[in-house]
Each structure stands twice: as structure tokens, then as C-alpha cells.
Amino acid sequence: MKAQPKASHFIDGEYVEDTAGTVIESIYPATGEVIAKLHAATPAIVEKAIASAKCAQKEWGAMSPTARGRILKKAAEIMRERNRELSELETLDTGKPIQETIVADATSGADSFEFFGGIIATALNGSQIPLGGDWAYTKRVPLGVVVGIGAWNYPQQIACWKGAPALAAGNAMVFKPSEMTPLGALKIAEILIEAGVPKGVYNVIQGDRDTGPLLVNHADVAKVSLTGSVPTGRKVAAAAAGSLKHVTMELGGKSPLIVFDDADMESAISGAMLGNFYSTGQVCSNGTRVFVHKAMKDRFLARLKERTEAIIIGDPQDEATQMGPMVSWAQREKVLGYIEKGKAEGATLVTGGGIPNNVSPSKGAGEGYYIQPTVFADVTDDMTIAREEIFGPVMCVLDFDDEAEVIGRANATEFGLSAGVFTADFSRAHRVVDQLEAGTLWINTYNLCPVEIPFGGSKQSGFGRENSAAALEHYSELKTVYVGMGKCEAPY
Ligand code: NAD
């Protein structure tokens, strides 16, 4: 098989198999072909991974931050050297076009190891607190064994965005990728060993919704960081609360993107397309509710239609392809269902709306899970497609004519992951983003998430932050030491 790894799991520095686990088939979404067969972790594998992490964390956490950082930066270097190989694997795992994976996946993971490797020598410093004679100091200490659970849209990036800050802060990790995309994380684990990370510090085990709880409920796990849907987030947070584990929740969204009539229209359309069609629309922070000022609506839609219909859909391994298939048959079915709901509830279909029949050139690409990039106009706030996360290339365009009105409508959702504003008026841009309820916001651009800036959601989209120095706070805790300089006095 094209992408068969040596074994399903990577524990204590080596590949490990346990064929008693349920079979997980890795399917190449462009052809429907099975490219690897793996096994979900059995309870014995889960125990082995957690025991290995627990043991390895002591040595790793005791190393100087500079020494840990040097190793993580080496991992970033190896990832960059192997970017082509990693990107090709990510394309097989997800169906995303190589044009994207070559710039957005392993490279973003490498940035993460480089950034956290570079900042930990100072970012973990504590403070000294004078108390008038007595004094205190704080230390930032690792949590211990942390669990990462990934979604299928950015498998390598998620494995690194969780692994890099966790390891930088001195923790050991057990990472479970999504059962849809099991391959990439194994390579990251291999590279970390090659870079010098001690065995057991970063382990990967496979599994699905039945495996996740074995990790979340384990007594030796101190924290769980999940990237996934809101319903899964609720379950994982509830389970973690049972034993008071730390949690980071990177969940779904239905983010608003507001285009005022003074905006640079081409730029706003680029933002809307990036925020709806990149990765075949499978991006959590997508600006799927595009509010366009009535004065610009007709021009905006005409040009958006033209540019959307020019998107090159096809073989993900062809460098010219701009849009690949969806990750799975089931996900495409779900998205097609939403498209039908949009039509039935009265939205105007501007373009797309089904399965493309001209996907070419590709060996077998026609059998893949392709879908047309779709734009609906005249969408109203109460329609299903305006309320629920679709997680596919379906853009909803809504009209507005008043700033206060659009802010209220943009916020009228349980989600709060991201938001964006396009306008030439900078005071308005800042005034509006100030009132939008979201964790990550963009002005005159969309969906850019460099490692230097915090990323994460509010409301039902989650809590905790990934990336930036802020992520280290979520993978460590403060230890405070009060130092008595005189005699200890008691009233009795
Ligand atoms: P999902 O919620 O179905 O699964 C996510 C992960 O959780 C998988 O690894 C799955 O095996 C595991 N899981 C499922 N049930 C579990 C349980 N009870 N206990 C422990 N683990 C469990 O999500 P998905 O379909 O893989 O990904 C799509 C979703 O992820 C979308 O909602 C999207 O918005 C969200 N997402 C969010 C971000 C972000 O950073 N906010 C990024 C990417 C994707």
C-alpha cells in the first residue's frame, strides 16, 4: 500500500503494533483507494504510551530550557529539509492539493517547533515578589503527561501546534490523530526522535471516539488539548472535569466576515474565498457568513462568481490544482445535505451546488470525494446554512446596510472562533472588531495564523490558546514559594 507506515503506533521511540485493535483504513480522498491499514490502540497500547510518557517526562522536564529548545529547533530544521516528503504524505492523508500542503502544513509545524524552541529560554521565567522582609518567587513548571487529540483537516499542523508548546514547557505528550488522517503524526514522532527528543516524550497512538476517552479518563494524564467539533468538545471537557484535568478546546465556528462598501472589493473577495475555499472549506476559522453591504452586493457577487468558477479542481498531486476533494465520502454527503437545505430554505444559488463532472486530469480522480465550491446569496440569519457549521466549501452571502445592525447579527451565534472586517476606514475597522465576539480577528485579510499570534475561540468555540507565548501558559502552571526570612510567629 502506498503509504503504509511501519506500524500503527509510535511509543517510547519506536513503532509498535497490536493487531488486536480495530482496523483503521486510511483512504486517499482523491481516489477512494485504501493507502494504509492501521489498528486502533487497545487498552494495553494506551497504557504503554502513557507509562512511557510518564517515565520520559521526568528527564525531559528537568533539562534546561535552552537544551530543550536546541532539540526542538533541530526538529524544525529536519521538517523543513523534508517538507516535500511530508507535504506529499499530508496530501495523501487529507486530499488537500500539494500547492497548499507544501506551504501550509509541515512548514507551519516547523515554525511551531522553531518558535517555541527559540522562546523557552526566557518565556518560562518566573518572578520575584518582595514582601517587605519576606519574599516569594514563582516558577513555571510542566504539567506532566499531556494528551493531544486531533481533527482531520490539518493533521500535521495540529500534531505540532500541540506538541511544540507542550514539549517546550517540559511535558511529555501522547497524541492521537483523527482516525480519518492517521499518517502524518507518526512522521512527526520519528523526526522528533531524530532531532534528539528522548524516547517516550512524544508518542502517537491511533484510535477513534472510543479510544479518546481511554486517554481523557486516565489518572496519569494532567491535561487534554482537543481540536474537534463542539459536541466532542463538550464530551471531552465533561470527562476531563471528572478528574479536574486542564483542558484546551479548539472547536468549531460559524465566523462572520463583514465587507463594508468602502472596502477594496478584489481584496475582500480574496479574503472571502480564502476564508471559505482553502482546504476545500475544511477550516475551523472560516468566515462562512459573509456580510456584504447592500451597496456593493451585486458587483461583489458577479466578480465572486467569476473567480469561484475559475478555481482549478483536480488531482491534488498536480501542482496546478487549487482545490482537492473533501476528506471523506461521509463529509461530502453532509455538506451536500447542507447545500440542499440552502436551496430548500430559499437561498439563491450563485454558483456550484453539487459534484463537479469535469474533474481532470487525474487517474481515478472522478471517484474521489469532490465537490463544487459553492456560493449562496440572499441568505438570511435564520437559515440552517447560516447557523450551523458546514465544514465544506459553502459560502453564505448575507446583506446588510447598517454597522450596528451587522455587528448584532454577526454576534448572534453560539460560536465565537473568528471574525473579519474589510473596510478602508481604519477607525471603523477597530471599532467593529472591538465589538465582535471572537477569539481571533482579522482586518483587511483573513485566516492568517502565524505562530507568533495567539489562536483560539470564545463562547462555544472553546477556550485556551494555541501558538504565541500564551500557549506555554496552557501547558504549564505556576508554583509559588513564600520565603520566610525571620522567625515564624503564631498566635498560640
Ligand atoms: P470530531 O469532533 O469528530 O473529532 C475530533 C477528534 O476527537 C478525533 O480525533 C476523534 O477521534 C476524537 N474524539 C471523538 N469523540 C471523542 C471522545 N468522546 N473523547 C475523546 N476523543 C474523541 O472532529 P473532526 O470531524 O475530526 O474535525 C472537524 C471539527 O474540528 C470541526 O468542527 C472544526 O471546526 C473543528 N476544528 C477546530 C479547529 C480549531 O483550532 N478551533 C481546527 C480544526 C478543526
Side-chain angles (χ1 to χ4, degrees):
M1 263 173 276
K2 242 188 207 162
Q4 185 66 39
K6 283 185 203 143
S8 301
H9 320 290
F10 194 94
I11 300 173
D12 213 33
E14 57 190 22
Y15 277 97
V16 177
E17 192 56 270
D18 181 350
T19 53
T22 327
V23 171
I24 294 176
E25 287 189 336
S26 168
I27 293 173
Y28 179 40
T31 60
E33 182 191 350
V34 177
I35 53 169
K37 276 192 184 160
L38 300 94
H39 295 270
T42 54
I45 287 286
V46 171
E47 283 305 324
K48 189 176 168 73
I50 292 175
S52 161
K54 190 177 175 184
C55 176
Q57 191 272 326
K58 290 186 176 56
E59 181 202 341
W60 178 247
M63 277 169 76
S64 79
T66 304
R68 284 203 301 269
R70 193 179 307 128
I71 294 172
L72 298 182
K73 284 186 276 184
K74 178 72 186 165
E77 202 182 301
I78 301 173
M79 284 187 74
R80 291 221 169 82
E81 280 162 13
R82 303 219 187 122
N83 184 38
R84 180 90 217 174
E85 178 199 329
L86 290 166
S87 305
E88 283 171 0
L89 184 65
E90 190 75 340
T91 286
L92 288 174
D93 221 1
T94 60
K96 294 196 286 183
I98 191 80
Q99 193 189 87
E100 274 190 28
T101 53
I102 206 97
V103 295
D105 293 272
T107 51
S108 155
D111 284 354
S112 186
F113 282 113
E114 185 175 0
F115 176 82
F116 286 105
I119 66 165
I120 45 172
T122 52
L124 289 172
N125 287 354
S127 60
Q128 191 269 73
I129 304 157
L131 297 169
D134 289 356
W135 58 287
Y137 63 91
T138 62
K139 293 174 78 169
R140 207 154 254 294
V141 296
L143 301 173
V145 176
V146 300
V147 159
I149 300 179
W152 42 257
N153 58 342
Y154 280 83
Q156 291 182 15
Q157 185 187 82
I158 293 170
C160 297
W161 280 20
K162 297 193 187 305
L167 267 52
N171 303 285
M173 173 162 268
V174 178
F175 184 79
K176 188 199 82 62
S178 163
E179 59 276 30
M180 309 294 301
T181 51
L183 305 175
L186 292 167
K187 284 284 164 201
I188 308 295
E190 262 185 53
I191 287 172
L192 286 169
I193 287 289
E194 196 180 326
V197 170
K199 58 186 191 170
V201 169
Y202 187 89
N203 307 282
V204 173
I205 65 162
Q206 307 297 339
D208 54 18
R209 64 190 55 220
D210 296 326
T211 319
L214 300 178
L215 293 168
V216 178
N217 293 323
H218 200 288
D220 288 338
V221 169
K223 179 196 167 94
V224 181
S225 175
L226 168 80
T227 297
S229 62
V230 173
T232 302
R234 290 196 182 111
K235 281 185 211 147
V236 171
S243 47
L244 292 181
K245 290 181 172 67
H246 297 245
V247 286
T248 291
M249 291 285 149
E250 292 291 350
L251 309 177
K254 190 75 196 174
S255 302
L257 194 167
I258 304 173
V259 182
F260 286 94
D261 56 350
D262 62 351
D264 174 325
M265 193 181 80
E266 280 302 308
S267 177
I269 292 173
S270 296
M273 291 177 77
L274 264 180
N276 278 276
F277 300 146
Y278 207 67
S279 296
T280 321
Q282 304 163 119
V283 180
C284 52
S285 50
N286 272 353
T288 47
R289 291 182 295 142
V290 182
F291 291 92
V292 180
H293 193 277
K294 275 184 184 150
M296 193 193 262
K297 178 188 167 184
D298 292 344
R299 283 182 294 136
F300 185 95
L301 285 174
R303 182 68 181 128
L304 172 64
K305 177 176 158 68
E306 192 180 5
R307 287 180 60 181
T308 302
E309 287 172 0
I311 291 175
I312 302 167
I313 308 170
D315 179 358
Q317 294 179 60
D318 182 338
E319 304 259 344
T321 295
Q322 296 170 320
M323 187 182 278
M326 303 221 59
V327 76
S328 65
W329 181 85
Q331 185 63 19
R332 184 178 66 175
E333 282 300 294
K334 187 179 152 202
V335 175
L336 288 171
Y338 274 113
I339 291 173
E340 289 313 309
K341 271 200 186 115
K343 292 178 192 166
E345 291 179 15
T348 307
L349 184 65
V350 175
T351 185
I355 295 172
N357 53 16
N358 58 345
V359 175
S360 67
S362 175
K363 24 175 199 329
E367 296 139 44
Y369 315 126
Y370 288 90
I371 190 165
Q372 290 174 318
T374 296
V375 177
F376 279 111
D378 305 315
V379 177
T380 54
D381 299 342
D382 56 335
M383 289 181 186
T384 310
I385 54 170
R387 288 186 289 106
E388 296 182 13
E389 184 184 44
I390 298 175
F391 222 57
V394 181
M395 187 192 307
C396 296
V397 177
L398 304 93
D399 317 337
F400 77 96
D401 49 15
D402 174 74
E403 182 181 310
E405 166 219 331
V406 77
I407 293 169
R409 290 169 60 200
N411 286 338
T413 167
E414 61 168 358
F415 299 107
L417 188 53
S418 308
V421 178
F422 278 83
T423 175
D425 177 344
F426 263 76
S427 339
R428 171 155 66 191
H430 292 289
R431 185 170 68 234
V432 171
V433 291
D434 210 41
Q435 294 171 79
L436 290 175
E437 297 164 357
T440 311
L441 300 102
W442 291 276
I443 295 174
N444 290 338
T445 188
Y446 204 80
N447 259 358
L448 300 181
C449 292
V451 66
E452 293 87 348
I453 67 171
F455 178 77
S458 61
K459 295 160 80 176
Q460 295 296 298
S461 293
F463 38 82
R465 291 293 177 265
E466 298 202 301
N467 292 341
S468 80
L472 289 176
E473 288 172 21
H474 298 287
Y475 284 103
S476 60
E477 62 190 356
L478 280 181
K479 181 177 262 192
T480 306
V481 182
Y482 186 111
V483 183
M485 298 297 285
K487 274 189 180 304
C488 181
E489 291 176 8
Y492 32 76

